Amino acid sequence: MRLVSTDHKVIGLQYLITSLAFLLLGFILILLIRWELAFPGQAIPIVGGLLGAANAPRGAMSPEFYTQLGAMHGTIMVFLAIVPLAVGAFGNYLIPLMIGAPDMAFPRLNALSYWLYLAAGLIMLASFFLPAGAANSGWTAYPPLAVLAVGHGQTAWLIGMFLLICSSLVGSINSIVTIVQLRAPGMTWMRLPFFIWAQLVTAFLLLLAFPPLQGAAVLQLMDRLAGTSFFLPTGLVVSGEALRVSGGGSPILWQHLFWFLAHPEVYVLILPAFGIVSEIIANATRKPLWGYRGMVGGSLFMGFMSFLVWAHHMFLTGMGPTMSGFFQVTTMIISIPSVVILSSLLLSLYGGSIRFTVPALFALAFLPMFGIGGLTGLPLGLAITDVPLHDTYYVIGHFHYIVAPGTMFAIFAGIYYWFPKVTGRQMNTLLGRIHFWGSLVGMNGIFLPMFIQGLAGVNRRLYDGGRSYEFGAALGPSYSGQWWSAVLLGVTQLFFIVNFFWSLRRGARTNANPWQATSLEWTTTSPPPADNFAVTPTVVRGAYEYSTEGAVQDFSPQAEVSAPARPAGSKDPASIKHGVPPYTADIRPDTGVSNGRLGIWLFIASEVMLFGALFSAYALLRVSAPAWPNGRELLGWTAALAPTTFIVLASLRWWNPLTGAETRGGRVNMLVSTFFALLFLASKAMEWRGELSHGIRPATNTFWAMYFTLTGLHALHVIGGIVANLWTWRGASRVGHAITAGRVRAVALYWTLVDIVWLIILVLLYLS
Amino acid sequence: MTTTRRLTGCLAGALIWSAASSVALACPVCFQMDESPVTEGVRTAVFVLMGVTVCVLGAFGSFVLRIARGAQNLPEPSGTIRNPPEPS
């Protein structure tokens, strides 16, 4: 396998291996945490001496190191392990295979997505070795704590998160375009496997929910590096001393932007799990999924509603009963589609002749585990019950039931299920069963006591598990039980690791379709060849035609083609040169767009969310400020006249070369646009120089903080536009008319976005 | 219980809930704090972000409708077998 490849299967495997490594690391961190909670202040066996005197004096964990472990465990598990596994690994490997495509729509962007993810993960890991260690303000990075955290760990966390979001955005655009554009002939929407629907909705969530956190990360970086006060209120006192910052910010602003991502993130974790489990349950029961259309509708509705529930994480911020009432209602509503999907899966079991294979065991266990996680979440969605439960171990128990025995079980089910497709070999069943039963007992042993601890009132962040409080003093045995459950869970995972690597070489060889499944990936060889299918498959039926009346066998594949032979002499799929994915420049008849055009629209949508979040931050700071400076007096519209003219001219030149872009006139227009864009940057640089020479800094007050941040981010977008201009100009004489025209349209749309954003900035900062 | 009774019960419940909501939903943290500028700021920020989100989702919705219409106009490939009805 080549290290740098654009083959979706190679990238999927890279995601799989990397994210499994992160999963193991995240688990090791939690073993350390559980030891501390079970035996507070006692030296950690074996590894205690290796953690360094600062982190573990005499082998016993320091409170500071404990908070680092807590923050990084959450970050690693959510952002570097489970989402990349569910979306990056399974999505990348399976989406093209299940829809009958040769690859993802943008193979190079796909590779970029993986390398950005790896870079983000390595930066976050490297932060453990910085002088004051890694981030220690929780995985939620709440300010003021996160802004005031000593050392550079939190800064590294923010930079890593920024890269991770870039990776997610690129990956999600790729997934959506691939599913919409590259479906094989006959693969209508209602013939898509539910797994694909789940990945599609997940990609939309990632595309639209992540940019606000990107904006928030920029603001927090500004607070930490440029001394601004986006998240620091006036009059903040730390350790008895008034903080010397301009103030005027709001810690609630971070919660507002963070939870706009982090709640949909829960659905990002759940939906791919539903997708995996659906495929396995239909296969194991030898029955079609019950209520397939309802499940599809439920997942779409869930995706939509997940953007309207985020403030239920903020009931304790004093948002008022009107707002909390609205978010309580939306939170209760969003539980309906989850119940629809879960009920459909349960009903799918009814009357089936279930094959209790290892993947089926994990998939079946997912249902009650997710059910516990979901039902225990309802009290947290109501303000009256959230007040006593907020920030207790109850929340941790609820969330972990969703993600650990929930999503993780689905992921393990998926690994066992598709392992034969990837390797051509079967994993060992006995080792798989030990892995399953050990994980089931271990996980419940860890997470079930958390509900009791939470109801007893133990806060989730206490270094000693609340023993220093009267209400937590009696809970010691429960922590010991959790420690031994964690040990059991850890030992059990060794069976999985051994099974995984042993089966790669020694597992029993299988045919192309060992599970007798119906979806398209099982109609090609195991492992699949470079372009996936020797002949583009034609889909003739739905994805779940099991036990159909009159059929020769109890499953009817979606496409009736025999598995193609692997190209002679090829051992490594990545070694085969790929063709260009279909509809790269041409328009697909039923969607009316090309891949590039859909891609740029999706990118613009994510940019709208980014700037929408920043404008929302502006609204919060301005409305809650006792007094807000008058931008018209401070900056004046005359200052904005020249840059506004330049940026509009830079954009207008792009709508000219739509026809004949590769001609001399068209190419001149591209250069003229670049010239005006450079003039815009020069005028902004002069304006900044003027402000700085008058002693005005981003740290002066929140108005100027907003001014420098918004105009700076916009200027970065203008620089991005210039790069796009020159790239299109350079390529105009080399590639064909269709590709150049597509690029010109994309760049023209981008410049329109840059214009609109500038006009809004103009109104907010210069004219009001 | 007849359908009419059930319906009346639901309606009465909804009415009581809506009439008592501001008190019933209040908690010690946020009760009667609607007037604070911070609350107003958060509310404005939520409206702005929600507005942007709904516009973007609306745009996607219209695109989905467009491709759904496009899909209907596409001829089925030869050999297509119609899906059997879902089991009830």
Side-chain angles (χ1 to χ4, degrees), chain A residues 54-398:
Chain A
N55 296 328
R58 291 183 302 282
M61 190 184 297
S62 69
E64 291 77 14
F65 189 54
Y66 177 86
T67 55
Q68 283 179 40
L69 293 182
M72 293 307 288
H73 164 74
T75 304
I76 289 171
M77 285 304 207
V78 172
F79 295 110
L80 298 177
I82 298 187
V83 173
L85 267 171
V87 180
F90 282 96
N92 259 310
Y93 199 94
L94 292 172
I95 286 174
L97 284 167
M98 288 176 99
I99 63 171
D103 203 323
M104 297 292 269
F106 306 113
R108 277 185 287 186
L109 284 185
N110 205 16
L112 175 71
S113 162
Y114 169 74
W115 291 105
L116 282 172
Y117 154 69
L118 184 67
L122 291 178
I123 287 172
M124 286 193 182
L125 281 192
S127 68
F128 271 112
F129 302 100
L130 290 171
N136 60 1
S137 308
W139 79 281
T140 52
Y142 275 2
L145 198 61
V147 173
L148 304 175
V150 291
H152 300 293
Q154 184 62 28
T155 306
W157 188 93
L158 290 165
I159 293 169
M161 192 55 74
F162 189 88
L163 292 177
L164 200 61
I165 295 170
C166 292
S167 158
S168 276
L169 292 177
V170 171
S172 57
I173 290 173
N174 216 346
S175 294
I176 296 170
V177 176
T178 304
I179 294 170
V180 172
Q181 292 287 101
L182 302 192
R183 283 167 293 125
M187 182 60 93
T188 57
W189 290 102
M190 283 300 131
R191 283 182 183 160
L192 284 175
F194 184 68
F195 175 89
I196 298 295
W197 276 107
Q199 290 283 339
L200 182 65
V201 177
T202 303
F204 269 110
L205 297 183
L206 287 171
L207 181 79
L208 302 183
F210 253 133
L213 182 62
Q214 201 170 27
V218 170
L219 299 185
Q220 200 178 100
L221 269 176
M222 288 290 288
D223 272 10
R224 286 184 62 84
L225 302 178
T228 56
S229 295
F230 286 114
F231 303 114
L232 299 176
T234 307
L236 190 66
V237 176
V238 178
S239 304
E241 277 188 34
L243 205 64
R244 295 176 65 184
V245 292
S246 68
S250 170
I252 299 173
L253 173 60
W254 174 266
Q255 294 197 30
H256 167 60
L257 297 177
F258 179 83
W259 286 113
F260 186 83
L261 154 83
H263 197 80
E265 182 81 0
V266 176
Y267 299 97
V268 168
L269 295 164
I270 293 169
L271 274 166
F274 275 140
I276 293 168
V277 167
S278 302
E279 299 307 309
I280 295 168
I281 282 188
N283 179 268
T285 57
R286 316 306 293 167
K287 274 180 63 196
L289 280 181
W290 192 93
Y292 166 80
R293 283 173 184 270
M295 289 172 73
V296 170
S299 61
L300 291 171
F301 185 63
M302 188 193 280
F304 173 77
M305 285 302 295
S306 70
F307 290 108
L308 306 178
V309 296
W310 78 96
H312 70 219
H313 293 270
M314 298 162 61
F315 286 146
L316 263 71
T317 59
M319 63 167 74
T322 315
M323 287 282 283
S324 69
F326 174 79
F327 282 103
Q328 286 175 85
V329 172
T330 54
T331 305
M332 291 303 113
I333 290 173
I334 203 173
S335 62
I336 296 169
S338 311
V339 172
V340 167
I341 296 173
L342 197 64
S343 305
S344 296
L345 291 172
L346 279 170
L347 287 166
S348 297
L349 302 176
Y350 182 74
S353 49
I354 303 173
R355 297 176 177 178
F356 288 99
T357 57
V358 176
L361 288 176
F362 276 103
L364 292 171
F366 165 88
L367 301 178
M369 295 296 107
F370 174 78
I372 294 172
L375 289 173
T376 50
L378 289 176
L380 300 172
L382 297 165
I384 196 105
T385 36
D386 183 56
V387 171
L389 293 174
H390 191 89
D391 246 350
T392 67
Y393 265 111
Y394 181 92
V395 181
I396 308 294
H398 148 68

Side-chain angles (χ1 to χ4, degrees), chain A residues 519-574:
Chain A
S519 44
L520 281 187
E521 78 273 25
W522 301 104
T523 58
T524 188
T525 51
S526 302
D531 285 330
N532 295 341
F533 301 92
V535 186
T536 304
T538 300
V539 178
V540 293
R541 55 173 74 84
Y544 303 106
E545 300 216 2
Y546 289 101
S547 308
T548 313
E549 234 177 88
V552 188
Q553 36 191 5
D554 74 345
F555 69 104
S556 309
Q558 283 197 280
E560 285 175 343
V561 288
S562 55
R566 199 135 173 216
S570 77
K571 287 179 183 169
D572 175 6

Side-chain angles (χ1 to χ4, degrees), chain A residues 456-543:
Chain A
V458 179
N459 185 283
R460 61 194 280 188
R461 301 185 203 280
L462 297 177
Y463 166 66
D464 64 350
R467 285 182 182 77
S468 48
Y469 296 93
E470 198 179 331
F471 60 79
L475 292 168
S478 68
Y479 293 114
S480 304
Q482 285 172 303
W483 158 252
W484 289 112
S485 298
V487 171
L488 171 69
L489 187 62
V491 171
T492 305
Q493 301 320 301
L494 294 177
F495 286 90
F496 170 72
I497 294 168
V498 168
N499 194 358
F500 187 90
F501 287 106
W502 183 83
S503 302
L504 279 176
R505 297 248 169 217
R506 304 279 173 105
R509 285 191 183 278
T510 61
N511 61 21
N513 189 3
W515 307 110
Q516 298 178 310
T518 54
S519 44
L520 281 187
E521 78 273 25
W522 301 104
T523 58
T524 188
T525 51
S526 302
D531 285 330
N532 295 341
F533 301 92
V535 186
T536 304
T538 300
V539 178
V540 293
R541 55 173 74 84

Side-chain angles (χ1 to χ4, degrees), chain A residues 186 189 191 204 260 290 292-293 304 318-323 325-326 328 540-542 545 590-592 602 609 616 624, chain B residues 25 29-30 34 37 39 41-43 45-46 49-50 53 57 60 63 66-67 70 77 79-81 83-84 86-88:
Chain A
W189 290 102
R191 283 182 183 160
F204 269 110
F260 186 83
W290 192 93
Y292 166 80
R293 283 173 184 270
F304 173 77
M319 63 167 74
T322 315
M323 287 282 283
F326 174 79
Q328 286 175 85
V540 293
R541 55 173 74 84
E545 300 216 2
D590 56 337
T591 61
L602 294 169
M609 293 306 298
S616 159
S624 57
Chain B
L25 300 176
V29 179
C30 56
D34 263 1
T39 309
V42 173
R43 191 186 304 151
V46 166
L49 196 49
M50 205 177 271
T53 310
L57 289 175
F60 279 128
F63 176 68
R66 185 179 126 175
I67 57 175
T80 291
I81 299 158
N83 288 351
E86 284 178 356
S88 51

